[in-house]
mmCIF file of all heavy atoms in Angstrom:
data_model
loop_
_atom_site.group_PDB
_atom_site.id
_atom_site.type_symbol
_atom_site.label_atom_id
_atom_site.label_comp_id
_atom_site.label_asym_id
_atom_site.label_seq_id
_atom_site.Cartn_x
_atom_site.Cartn_y
_atom_site.Cartn_z
ATOM 1 N N PRO A 1588 -74.846 -12.164 -62.301
ATOM 2 C CA PRO A 1588 -74.823 -12.145 -60.837
ATOM 3 C C PRO A 1588 -74.686 -13.569 -60.276
ATOM 4 O O PRO A 1588 -75.071 -14.542 -60.940
ATOM 5 C CB PRO A 1588 -76.184 -11.545 -60.464
ATOM 6 C CG PRO A 1588 -76.696 -10.882 -61.695
ATOM 7 C CD PRO A 1588 -76.071 -11.587 -62.855
ATOM 8 N N GLU A 1589 -74.160 -13.662 -59.067
ATOM 9 C CA GLU A 1589 -73.813 -14.937 -58.439
ATOM 10 C C GLU A 1589 -74.931 -15.991 -58.499
ATOM 11 O O GLU A 1589 -74.694 -17.134 -58.835
ATOM 12 C CB GLU A 1589 -73.417 -14.672 -56.978
ATOM 13 C CG GLU A 1589 -73.242 -15.903 -56.102
ATOM 14 C CD GLU A 1589 -71.958 -16.660 -56.399
ATOM 15 O OE1 GLU A 1589 -71.080 -16.087 -57.071
ATOM 16 O OE2 GLU A 1589 -71.836 -17.821 -55.968
ATOM 17 N N ASP A 1590 -76.147 -15.600 -58.206
ATOM 18 C CA ASP A 1590 -77.210 -16.595 -58.038
ATOM 19 C C ASP A 1590 -78.132 -16.663 -59.251
ATOM 20 O O ASP A 1590 -79.332 -16.889 -59.123
ATOM 21 C CB ASP A 1590 -78.009 -16.259 -56.770
ATOM 22 C CG ASP A 1590 -78.682 -17.493 -56.213
ATOM 23 O OD1 ASP A 1590 -78.201 -18.614 -56.488
ATOM 24 O OD2 ASP A 1590 -79.708 -17.334 -55.527
ATOM 25 N N SER A 1591 -77.573 -16.512 -60.431
ATOM 26 C CA SER A 1591 -78.387 -16.538 -61.647
ATOM 27 C C SER A 1591 -78.769 -17.963 -62.026
ATOM 28 O O SER A 1591 -78.098 -18.919 -61.656
ATOM 29 C CB SER A 1591 -77.619 -15.905 -62.808
ATOM 30 O OG SER A 1591 -77.316 -14.567 -62.517
ATOM 31 N N VAL A 1592 -79.851 -18.066 -62.794
ATOM 32 C CA VAL A 1592 -80.292 -19.364 -63.307
ATOM 33 C C VAL A 1592 -80.146 -19.340 -64.822
ATOM 34 O O VAL A 1592 -80.566 -18.378 -65.471
ATOM 35 C CB VAL A 1592 -81.775 -19.624 -62.941
ATOM 36 C CG1 VAL A 1592 -82.248 -20.954 -63.540
ATOM 37 C CG2 VAL A 1592 -81.975 -19.616 -61.435
ATOM 38 N N VAL A 1593 -79.539 -20.388 -65.367
ATOM 39 C CA VAL A 1593 -79.450 -20.519 -66.812
ATOM 40 C C VAL A 1593 -80.236 -21.751 -67.230
ATOM 41 O O VAL A 1593 -79.967 -22.857 -66.756
ATOM 42 C CB VAL A 1593 -77.984 -20.630 -67.276
ATOM 43 C CG1 VAL A 1593 -77.914 -20.922 -68.778
ATOM 44 C CG2 VAL A 1593 -77.217 -19.359 -66.947
ATOM 45 N N ALA A 1594 -81.230 -21.531 -68.076
ATOM 46 C CA ALA A 1594 -82.006 -22.645 -68.631
ATOM 47 C C ALA A 1594 -81.642 -22.741 -70.094
ATOM 48 O O ALA A 1594 -81.836 -21.785 -70.836
ATOM 49 C CB ALA A 1594 -83.496 -22.389 -68.465
ATOM 50 N N CYS A 1595 -81.079 -23.861 -70.501
ATOM 51 C CA CYS A 1595 -80.721 -23.940 -71.916
ATOM 52 C C CYS A 1595 -81.619 -24.902 -72.649
ATOM 53 O O CYS A 1595 -82.423 -25.622 -72.055
ATOM 54 C CB CYS A 1595 -79.244 -24.245 -72.110
ATOM 55 S SG CYS A 1595 -78.592 -25.519 -71.119
ATOM 56 N N ASP A 1596 -81.486 -24.876 -73.948
ATOM 57 C CA ASP A 1596 -82.216 -25.823 -74.776
ATOM 58 C C ASP A 1596 -81.307 -27.000 -75.073
ATOM 59 O O ASP A 1596 -80.495 -27.357 -74.229
ATOM 60 C CB ASP A 1596 -82.749 -25.099 -76.023
ATOM 61 C CG ASP A 1596 -84.082 -24.424 -75.709
ATOM 62 O OD1 ASP A 1596 -85.075 -25.151 -75.653
ATOM 63 O OD2 ASP A 1596 -84.112 -23.200 -75.494
ATOM 64 N N VAL A 1597 -81.444 -27.573 -76.245
ATOM 65 C CA VAL A 1597 -80.726 -28.816 -76.513
ATOM 66 C C VAL A 1597 -79.973 -28.708 -77.830
ATOM 67 O O VAL A 1597 -80.536 -28.272 -78.833
ATOM 68 C CB VAL A 1597 -81.710 -29.997 -76.534
ATOM 69 C CG1 VAL A 1597 -81.039 -31.261 -77.053
ATOM 70 C CG2 VAL A 1597 -82.243 -30.232 -75.128
ATOM 71 N N GLY A 1598 -78.718 -29.074 -77.774
ATOM 72 C CA GLY A 1598 -77.896 -29.048 -78.974
ATOM 73 C C GLY A 1598 -76.512 -28.517 -78.663
ATOM 74 O O GLY A 1598 -76.036 -28.630 -77.532
ATOM 75 N N GLN A 1599 -75.881 -27.928 -79.669
ATOM 76 C CA GLN A 1599 -74.509 -27.447 -79.489
ATOM 77 C C GLN A 1599 -74.414 -26.403 -78.376
ATOM 78 O O GLN A 1599 -73.526 -26.458 -77.527
ATOM 79 C CB GLN A 1599 -73.995 -26.840 -80.798
ATOM 80 C CG GLN A 1599 -73.717 -27.872 -81.872
ATOM 81 C CD GLN A 1599 -73.181 -27.228 -83.136
ATOM 82 O OE1 GLN A 1599 -73.756 -26.261 -83.633
ATOM 83 N NE2 GLN A 1599 -72.094 -27.765 -83.653
ATOM 84 N N HIS A 1600 -75.365 -25.455 -78.374
ATOM 85 C CA HIS A 1600 -75.298 -24.389 -77.360
ATOM 86 C C HIS A 1600 -75.409 -24.979 -75.954
ATOM 87 O O HIS A 1600 -74.812 -24.472 -75.008
ATOM 88 C CB HIS A 1600 -76.407 -23.362 -77.600
ATOM 89 C CG HIS A 1600 -77.757 -23.857 -77.223
ATOM 90 N ND1 HIS A 1600 -78.554 -24.582 -78.069
ATOM 91 C CD2 HIS A 1600 -78.427 -23.798 -76.043
ATOM 92 C CE1 HIS A 1600 -79.658 -24.924 -77.441
ATOM 93 N NE2 HIS A 1600 -79.614 -24.471 -76.220
ATOM 94 N N GLN A 1601 -76.174 -26.054 -75.822
ATOM 95 C CA GLN A 1601 -76.351 -26.700 -74.510
ATOM 96 C C GLN A 1601 -75.016 -27.244 -74.003
ATOM 97 O O GLN A 1601 -74.661 -27.101 -72.827
ATOM 98 C CB GLN A 1601 -77.368 -27.836 -74.655
ATOM 99 C CG GLN A 1601 -77.608 -28.652 -73.398
ATOM 100 C CD GLN A 1601 -78.422 -29.911 -73.669
ATOM 101 O OE1 GLN A 1601 -78.379 -30.466 -74.772
ATOM 102 N NE2 GLN A 1601 -79.176 -30.360 -72.690
ATOM 103 N N MET A 1602 -74.277 -27.861 -74.911
ATOM 104 C CA MET A 1602 -72.972 -28.400 -74.520
ATOM 105 C C MET A 1602 -71.985 -27.273 -74.242
ATOM 106 O O MET A 1602 -71.162 -27.359 -73.330
ATOM 107 C CB MET A 1602 -72.445 -29.337 -75.617
ATOM 108 C CG MET A 1602 -73.253 -30.609 -75.759
ATOM 109 S SD MET A 1602 -73.253 -31.612 -74.236
ATOM 110 C CE MET A 1602 -74.916 -31.361 -73.655
ATOM 111 N N TRP A 1603 -72.065 -26.189 -75.012
ATOM 112 C CA TRP A 1603 -71.176 -25.053 -74.741
ATOM 113 C C TRP A 1603 -71.493 -24.412 -73.385
ATOM 114 O O TRP A 1603 -70.578 -23.981 -72.680
ATOM 115 C CB TRP A 1603 -71.283 -24.020 -75.880
ATOM 116 C CG TRP A 1603 -70.576 -24.438 -77.142
ATOM 117 C CD1 TRP A 1603 -69.410 -25.143 -77.239
ATOM 118 C CD2 TRP A 1603 -70.992 -24.173 -78.487
ATOM 119 N NE1 TRP A 1603 -69.077 -25.327 -78.559
ATOM 120 C CE2 TRP A 1603 -70.020 -24.740 -79.354
ATOM 121 C CE3 TRP A 1603 -72.081 -23.510 -79.065
ATOM 122 C CZ2 TRP A 1603 -70.115 -24.666 -80.746
ATOM 123 C CZ3 TRP A 1603 -72.163 -23.435 -80.446
ATOM 124 C CH2 TRP A 1603 -71.196 -24.010 -81.272
ATOM 125 N N VAL A 1604 -72.765 -24.357 -73.048
ATOM 126 C CA VAL A 1604 -73.123 -23.850 -71.705
ATOM 127 C C VAL A 1604 -72.491 -24.748 -70.641
ATOM 128 O O VAL A 1604 -71.865 -24.281 -69.686
ATOM 129 C CB VAL A 1604 -74.658 -23.784 -71.517
ATOM 130 C CG1 VAL A 1604 -75.025 -23.598 -70.042
ATOM 131 C CG2 VAL A 1604 -75.250 -22.649 -72.348
ATOM 132 N N ALA A 1605 -72.650 -26.059 -70.830
ATOM 133 C CA ALA A 1605 -72.118 -27.007 -69.838
ATOM 134 C C ALA A 1605 -70.597 -26.886 -69.728
ATOM 135 O O ALA A 1605 -70.025 -27.000 -68.648
ATOM 136 C CB ALA A 1605 -72.514 -28.433 -70.226
ATOM 137 N N GLN A 1606 -69.945 -26.631 -70.854
ATOM 138 C CA GLN A 1606 -68.487 -26.586 -70.849
ATOM 139 C C GLN A 1606 -67.933 -25.243 -70.366
ATOM 140 O O GLN A 1606 -66.928 -25.203 -69.662
ATOM 141 C CB GLN A 1606 -67.956 -26.827 -72.279
ATOM 142 C CG GLN A 1606 -68.179 -28.229 -72.803
ATOM 143 C CD GLN A 1606 -67.739 -28.374 -74.259
ATOM 144 O OE1 GLN A 1606 -67.746 -27.406 -75.017
ATOM 145 N NE2 GLN A 1606 -67.367 -29.578 -74.636
ATOM 146 N N HIS A 1607 -68.571 -24.151 -70.745
ATOM 147 C CA HIS A 1607 -67.910 -22.849 -70.619
ATOM 148 C C HIS A 1607 -68.539 -21.905 -69.607
ATOM 149 O O HIS A 1607 -68.029 -20.820 -69.385
ATOM 150 C CB HIS A 1607 -67.832 -22.189 -71.994
ATOM 151 C CG HIS A 1607 -67.139 -23.055 -73.006
ATOM 152 N ND1 HIS A 1607 -65.783 -23.284 -72.973
ATOM 153 C CD2 HIS A 1607 -67.625 -23.800 -74.029
ATOM 154 C CE1 HIS A 1607 -65.458 -24.120 -73.946
ATOM 155 N NE2 HIS A 1607 -66.557 -24.442 -74.599
ATOM 156 N N MET A 1608 -69.670 -22.298 -69.017
ATOM 157 C CA MET A 1608 -70.233 -21.464 -67.959
ATOM 158 C C MET A 1608 -69.988 -22.153 -66.623
ATOM 159 O O MET A 1608 -69.934 -23.377 -66.552
ATOM 160 C CB MET A 1608 -71.730 -21.234 -68.192
ATOM 161 C CG MET A 1608 -72.001 -20.470 -69.480
ATOM 162 S SD MET A 1608 -73.727 -19.937 -69.682
ATOM 163 C CE MET A 1608 -73.800 -18.548 -68.533
ATOM 164 N N SER A 1609 -69.820 -21.357 -65.589
ATOM 165 C CA SER A 1609 -69.553 -21.910 -64.260
ATOM 166 C C SER A 1609 -70.783 -21.771 -63.378
ATOM 167 O O SER A 1609 -71.439 -20.733 -63.400
ATOM 168 C CB SER A 1609 -68.388 -21.170 -63.603
ATOM 169 O OG SER A 1609 -67.183 -21.753 -64.009
ATOM 170 N N PHE A 1610 -71.053 -22.808 -62.625
ATOM 171 C CA PHE A 1610 -72.219 -22.794 -61.733
ATOM 172 C C PHE A 1610 -71.790 -23.187 -60.332
ATOM 173 O O PHE A 1610 -70.967 -24.075 -60.161
ATOM 174 C CB PHE A 1610 -73.290 -23.761 -62.258
ATOM 175 C CG PHE A 1610 -73.831 -23.365 -63.601
ATOM 176 C CD1 PHE A 1610 -73.246 -23.843 -64.772
ATOM 177 C CD2 PHE A 1610 -74.896 -22.485 -63.706
ATOM 178 C CE1 PHE A 1610 -73.727 -23.459 -66.015
ATOM 179 C CE2 PHE A 1610 -75.390 -22.096 -64.943
ATOM 180 C CZ PHE A 1610 -74.804 -22.585 -66.104
ATOM 181 N N THR A 1611 -72.370 -22.519 -59.363
ATOM 182 C CA THR A 1611 -71.996 -22.813 -57.980
ATOM 183 C C THR A 1611 -73.092 -23.590 -57.245
ATOM 184 O O THR A 1611 -72.926 -23.925 -56.080
ATOM 185 C CB THR A 1611 -71.701 -21.516 -57.209
ATOM 186 O OG1 THR A 1611 -72.832 -20.650 -57.337
ATOM 187 C CG2 THR A 1611 -70.463 -20.819 -57.763
ATOM 188 N N GLN A 1612 -74.195 -23.849 -57.922
ATOM 189 C CA GLN A 1612 -75.256 -24.696 -57.366
ATOM 190 C C GLN A 1612 -75.905 -25.478 -58.509
ATOM 191 O O GLN A 1612 -76.095 -24.911 -59.587
ATOM 192 C CB GLN A 1612 -76.347 -23.851 -56.666
ATOM 193 C CG GLN A 1612 -75.960 -23.298 -55.310
ATOM 194 C CD GLN A 1612 -75.792 -24.378 -54.249
ATOM 195 O OE1 GLN A 1612 -76.364 -25.469 -54.358
ATOM 196 N NE2 GLN A 1612 -74.993 -24.090 -53.235
ATOM 197 N N PRO A 1613 -76.285 -26.718 -58.266
ATOM 198 C CA PRO A 1613 -76.947 -27.468 -59.347
ATOM 199 C C PRO A 1613 -78.306 -26.871 -59.721
ATOM 200 O O PRO A 1613 -78.782 -27.089 -60.833
ATOM 201 C CB PRO A 1613 -77.098 -28.881 -58.761
ATOM 202 C CG PRO A 1613 -76.963 -28.727 -57.285
ATOM 203 C CD PRO A 1613 -76.082 -27.536 -57.062
ATOM 204 N N TYR A 1614 -78.908 -26.112 -58.820
ATOM 205 C CA TYR A 1614 -80.240 -25.537 -59.070
ATOM 206 C C TYR A 1614 -80.161 -24.340 -60.026
ATOM 207 O O TYR A 1614 -81.192 -23.771 -60.385
ATOM 208 C CB TYR A 1614 -80.889 -25.116 -57.741
ATOM 209 C CG TYR A 1614 -80.672 -26.153 -56.673
ATOM 210 C CD1 TYR A 1614 -79.790 -25.926 -55.612
ATOM 211 C CD2 TYR A 1614 -81.290 -27.404 -56.755
ATOM 212 C CE1 TYR A 1614 -79.548 -26.902 -54.656
ATOM 213 C CE2 TYR A 1614 -81.045 -28.382 -55.817
ATOM 214 C CZ TYR A 1614 -80.171 -28.128 -54.766
ATOM 215 O OH TYR A 1614 -79.927 -29.105 -53.831
ATOM 216 N N ASN A 1615 -78.935 -23.956 -60.388
ATOM 217 C CA ASN A 1615 -78.763 -22.800 -61.265
ATOM 218 C C ASN A 1615 -78.547 -23.179 -62.724
ATOM 219 O O ASN A 1615 -78.501 -22.311 -63.583
ATOM 220 C CB ASN A 1615 -77.558 -21.959 -60.797
ATOM 221 C CG ASN A 1615 -77.803 -21.344 -59.432
ATOM 222 O OD1 ASN A 1615 -78.922 -21.365 -58.932
ATOM 223 N ND2 ASN A 1615 -76.757 -20.813 -58.824
ATOM 224 N N HIS A 1616 -78.398 -24.457 -62.976
ATOM 225 C CA HIS A 1616 -78.143 -24.930 -64.338
ATOM 226 C C HIS A 1616 -79.267 -25.887 -64.735
ATOM 227 O O HIS A 1616 -79.317 -27.024 -64.269
ATOM 228 C CB HIS A 1616 -76.782 -25.650 -64.387
ATOM 229 C CG HIS A 1616 -76.484 -26.288 -65.713
ATOM 230 N ND1 HIS A 1616 -76.278 -27.641 -65.856
ATOM 231 C CD2 HIS A 1616 -76.360 -25.757 -66.956
ATOM 232 C CE1 HIS A 1616 -76.035 -27.917 -67.126
ATOM 233 N NE2 HIS A 1616 -76.076 -26.793 -67.811
ATOM 234 N N LEU A 1617 -80.200 -25.402 -65.559
ATOM 235 C CA LEU A 1617 -81.346 -26.219 -65.956
ATOM 236 C C LEU A 1617 -81.136 -26.664 -67.403
ATOM 237 O O LEU A 1617 -81.128 -25.854 -68.313
ATOM 238 C CB LEU A 1617 -82.647 -25.420 -65.839
ATOM 239 C CG LEU A 1617 -82.864 -24.645 -64.532
ATOM 240 C CD1 LEU A 1617 -84.245 -23.995 -64.532
ATOM 241 C CD2 LEU A 1617 -82.694 -25.534 -63.311
ATOM 242 N N SER A 1618 -80.946 -27.955 -67.567
ATOM 243 C CA SER A 1618 -80.613 -28.494 -68.881
ATOM 244 C C SER A 1618 -81.342 -29.826 -69.015
ATOM 245 O O SER A 1618 -81.314 -30.637 -68.095
ATOM 246 C CB SER A 1618 -79.093 -28.686 -68.944
ATOM 247 O OG SER A 1618 -78.660 -28.888 -70.259
ATOM 248 N N SER A 1619 -81.976 -30.019 -70.133
ATOM 249 C CA SER A 1619 -82.717 -31.266 -70.332
ATOM 250 C C SER A 1619 -81.722 -32.372 -70.642
ATOM 251 O O SER A 1619 -81.268 -32.515 -71.767
ATOM 252 C CB SER A 1619 -83.724 -31.080 -71.467
ATOM 253 O OG SER A 1619 -84.361 -32.308 -71.730
ATOM 254 N N GLY A 1620 -81.385 -33.141 -69.625
ATOM 255 C CA GLY A 1620 -80.305 -34.107 -69.745
ATOM 256 C C GLY A 1620 -80.755 -35.435 -70.314
ATOM 257 O O GLY A 1620 -80.256 -35.905 -71.327
ATOM 258 N N GLY A 1621 -81.721 -36.056 -69.664
ATOM 259 C CA GLY A 1621 -82.138 -37.401 -70.054
ATOM 260 C C GLY A 1621 -82.901 -37.420 -71.360
ATOM 261 O O GLY A 1621 -82.604 -38.196 -72.265
ATOM 262 N N LEU A 1622 -83.912 -36.560 -71.464
ATOM 263 C CA LEU A 1622 -84.762 -36.593 -72.659
ATOM 264 C C LEU A 1622 -84.171 -35.767 -73.793
ATOM 265 O O LEU A 1622 -84.439 -36.038 -74.951
ATOM 266 C CB LEU A 1622 -86.177 -36.096 -72.326
ATOM 267 C CG LEU A 1622 -87.243 -36.368 -73.387
ATOM 268 C CD1 LEU A 1622 -87.481 -37.858 -73.573
ATOM 269 C CD2 LEU A 1622 -88.549 -35.659 -73.079
ATOM 270 N N GLY A 1623 -83.379 -34.744 -73.449
ATOM 271 C CA GLY A 1623 -82.837 -33.883 -74.507
ATOM 272 C C GLY A 1623 -83.951 -33.197 -75.276
ATOM 273 O O GLY A 1623 -84.050 -33.314 -76.495
ATOM 274 N N THR A 1624 -84.781 -32.451 -74.556
ATOM 275 C CA THR A 1624 -85.990 -31.868 -75.125
ATOM 276 C C THR A 1624 -85.700 -30.513 -75.752
ATOM 277 O O THR A 1624 -85.561 -29.507 -75.039
ATOM 278 C CB THR A 1624 -87.049 -31.681 -74.015
ATOM 279 O OG1 THR A 1624 -87.138 -32.874 -73.242
ATOM 280 C CG2 THR A 1624 -88.404 -31.333 -74.605
ATOM 281 N N MET A 1625 -85.618 -30.442 -77.078
ATOM 282 C CA MET A 1625 -85.540 -29.122 -77.717
ATOM 283 C C MET A 1625 -86.821 -28.360 -77.358
ATOM 284 O O MET A 1625 -87.905 -28.940 -77.336
ATOM 285 C CB MET A 1625 -85.408 -29.261 -79.234
ATOM 286 C CG MET A 1625 -84.060 -29.772 -79.691
ATOM 287 S SD MET A 1625 -83.996 -30.005 -81.482
ATOM 288 C CE MET A 1625 -84.018 -28.316 -82.063
ATOM 289 N N GLY A 1626 -86.677 -27.072 -77.073
ATOM 290 C CA GLY A 1626 -87.833 -26.293 -76.628
ATOM 291 C C GLY A 1626 -87.975 -26.267 -75.121
ATOM 292 O O GLY A 1626 -88.905 -25.658 -74.595
ATOM 293 N N PHE A 1627 -87.049 -26.907 -74.415
ATOM 294 C CA PHE A 1627 -87.085 -26.941 -72.944
ATOM 295 C C PHE A 1627 -86.820 -25.563 -72.344
ATOM 296 O O PHE A 1627 -87.440 -25.171 -71.350
ATOM 297 C CB PHE A 1627 -86.022 -27.938 -72.466
ATOM 298 C CG PHE A 1627 -85.787 -27.974 -70.976
ATOM 299 C CD1 PHE A 1627 -86.561 -28.768 -70.149
ATOM 300 C CD2 PHE A 1627 -84.758 -27.219 -70.403
ATOM 301 C CE1 PHE A 1627 -86.331 -28.804 -68.791
ATOM 302 C CE2 PHE A 1627 -84.515 -27.255 -69.037
ATOM 303 C CZ PHE A 1627 -85.310 -28.050 -68.222
ATOM 304 N N GLY A 1628 -85.880 -24.846 -72.925
ATOM 305 C CA GLY A 1628 -85.268 -23.711 -72.236
ATOM 306 C C GLY A 1628 -86.197 -22.555 -71.921
ATOM 307 O O GLY A 1628 -86.188 -22.046 -70.796
ATOM 308 N N LEU A 1629 -86.982 -22.114 -72.901
ATOM 309 C CA LEU A 1629 -87.804 -20.925 -72.675
ATOM 310 C C LEU A 1629 -88.865 -21.175 -71.594
ATOM 311 O O LEU A 1629 -88.943 -20.415 -70.620
ATOM 312 C CB LEU A 1629 -88.414 -20.451 -73.998
ATOM 313 C CG LEU A 1629 -89.119 -19.102 -73.970
ATOM 314 C CD1 LEU A 1629 -88.174 -17.991 -73.549
ATOM 315 C CD2 LEU A 1629 -89.723 -18.782 -75.346
ATOM 316 N N PRO A 1630 -89.666 -22.225 -71.715
ATOM 317 C CA PRO A 1630 -90.623 -22.473 -70.627
ATOM 318 C C PRO A 1630 -89.952 -22.792 -69.290
ATOM 319 O O PRO A 1630 -90.455 -22.385 -68.232
ATOM 320 C CB PRO A 1630 -91.469 -23.647 -71.131
ATOM 321 C CG PRO A 1630 -90.743 -24.219 -72.297
ATOM 322 C CD PRO A 1630 -89.901 -23.132 -72.863
ATOM 323 N N ALA A 1631 -88.819 -23.502 -69.315
ATOM 324 C CA ALA A 1631 -88.121 -23.803 -68.054
ATOM 325 C C ALA A 1631 -87.657 -22.511 -67.393
ATOM 326 O O ALA A 1631 -87.724 -22.358 -66.165
ATOM 327 C CB ALA A 1631 -86.943 -24.738 -68.297
ATOM 328 N N ALA A 1632 -87.194 -21.559 -68.211
ATOM 329 C CA ALA A 1632 -86.762 -20.264 -67.667
ATOM 330 C C ALA A 1632 -87.957 -19.529 -67.046
ATOM 331 O O ALA A 1632 -87.832 -18.910 -65.981
ATOM 332 C CB ALA A 1632 -86.128 -19.425 -68.774
#
Side-chain angles (χ1 to χ4, degrees):
Chain A
E1589 170 74 15
D1590 205 24
S1591 299
V1592 177
V1593 174
C1595 46
D1596 275 283
V1597 170
Q1599 289 181 310
H1600 74 274
Q1601 177 191 28
M1602 292 299 108
W1603 285 325
V1604 166
Q1606 292 175 333
H1607 304 288
M1608 297 189 75
S1609 274
F1610 297 91
T1611 54
Q1612 284 292 336
Y1614 318 108
N1615 295 349
H1616 175 241
L1617 312 184
S1618 194
S1619 175
L1622 193 65
T1624 313
M1625 288 177 70
F1627 172 86
L1629 189 60

